Amino acid sequence: MLNIEPIPAFNDNYIWLVTRPGESGAFVVDPGDAAVVEAALAARQLQLAGILITHHHFDHVGGVLQLRETHDPVVYGPFNPAIEGVDVRVAAGDQVEVLGAAFEVMEVPGHTLDHIAYFARSDDSAQDSPVLFCGDTLFAAGCGRLFEGTPAMMHASLQALVALPADTRVYCAHEYTLANLAFAEAVEPENAELAERLRQARATREQGEPTVPSTLSLELDTNPFVRCQQPAVLDSLRSQGKLQGTDAEAVFAAVRGWKDNF
Ligand SMILES: [Zn+2]
């Protein structure tokens, strides 16, 4: 069984800290800031065994070289030479072992061209649900901005992610949930699950707690970026005059464009 907890960084990033109960080895995912990782390791008396990187943005890789100076982690990351300090470059279909758990690498371009995600199937012995580290691709109730990829790329990436088991826990890299839900509600004002999610997320944030991880089933019920064929989403885009076509990619592009100006 893996323990996964957030290390908050910068304004709204989460660096995920992965451990096993009773063991001292730890992995971190997307350590943009070394100082907060060092503090978390020291507080828990952990040794940094490895690092997973999802994409090249500074708020995800900024701490890697510094962490390598004081620890001896194995660093996994995408085939992007711009990312320094990577020991093992990985691509679709590769497996990465994280504290004894096997994670599959998926290529999920869209936010950036080099973006990858790490997925672990459930550990039957411990009845764990599957785990997905998806960086800035799929967010709770949202998705990453298209800095490098096309809408078609991001749409395909999101579809590949939501095709994973519905009970998969989604560990994204930012706390953007309330803003994403405000937009989602504008797209689907009649969605009761969405209204309930917004109510719960507000209460969670008022307590100062993270709203992530989410689950893929919750995303499928409430995230407009993976609901492009829902009649309510199509109607909403049509009434806003934003619908250029009804194929899934065109609908996704329209939703993404609306959010960019929301
Ligand atoms: Zn990013």
Side-chain angles (χ1 to χ4, degrees):
M1 180 180 117
L2 295 177
N3 248 340
I4 304 172
E5 56 187 308
I7 303 171
F10 309 114
N11 282 336
D12 49 32
N13 282 70
Y14 291 129
I15 298 167
W16 295 105
L17 175 66
V18 185
T19 56
R20 271 191 191 275
E23 295 181 16
S24 64
F27 266 65
V28 289
V29 184
D30 285 349
D33 181 359
V36 293
V37 173
E38 294 284 11
L41 294 171
R44 295 162 182 78
Q45 296 184 303
L46 295 167
Q47 309 297 320
L48 186 63
I51 292 174
L52 303 182
I53 296 169
T54 63
H55 68 293
H56 70 87
H57 283 158
F58 185 76
D59 60 321
H60 298 251
V61 303
V64 171
L65 292 181
Q66 200 179 323
L67 288 168
R68 289 181 69 106
E69 283 177 17
T70 42
H71 303 273
D72 190 23
V74 182
V75 182
Y76 298 92
F79 279 85
N80 178 352
I83 306 174
E84 295 180 85
V86 176
D87 296 302
V88 185
R89 307 265 174 194
V90 290
D94 287 340
Q95 279 212 350
V96 172
E97 193 186 307
V98 177
L99 308 177
F103 279 71
E104 293 167 30
V105 176
M106 301 171 71
E107 291 179 16
V108 286
H111 174 69
T112 61
L113 293 176
D114 66 350
H115 208 303
I116 58 176
Y118 300 87
F119 169 70
R121 297 187 183 282
S122 59
D123 177 351
D124 291 337
S125 60
Q127 302 283 302
D128 268 353
S129 47
V131 172
L132 176 67
F133 294 116
C134 53
D136 291 353
T137 301
L138 177 63
F139 287 130
C143 76
R145 281 181 184 268
L146 305 184
F147 287 117
E148 297 173 9
T150 63
M153 276 181 193
M154 183 59 123
H155 175 68
S157 295
L158 293 175
Q159 288 301 306
L161 295 179
V162 297
L164 297 171
D167 62 338
T168 299
R169 286 171 285 164
V170 179
Y171 292 88
C172 60
H174 287 274
E175 180 63 59
Y176 288 159
T177 313
L178 286 182
N180 287 341
L181 285 168
F183 172 71
E185 192 150 68
V187 178
E188 285 192 272
E190 309 292 324
N191 182 330
E193 284 99 339
L194 179 52
E196 173 59 17
R197 185 179 188 182
L198 181 54
R199 192 192 64 73
Q200 285 184 13
R202 282 197 181 116
T204 302
R205 293 307 292 154
E206 275 164 21
Q207 304 288 319
E209 298 291 323
T211 60
V212 286
S214 144
T215 62
L216 286 180
S217 65
L218 186 57
E219 297 312 319
L220 284 164
D221 285 345
T222 59
N223 184 330
F225 296 98
V226 295
R227 293 172 59 77
C228 293
Q229 291 307 304
Q230 293 294 319
V233 174
L234 290 165
D235 288 348
S236 195
L237 288 167
R238 208 173 274 123
S239 71
Q240 294 277 324
K242 295 179 187 296
L243 201 59
Q244 306 295 323
T246 53
D247 62 282
E249 286 174 6
V251 176
F252 173 80
V255 176
R256 187 61 255 179
W258 185 0
K259 173 72 162 64
D260 288 343
N261 297 297
F262 186 70

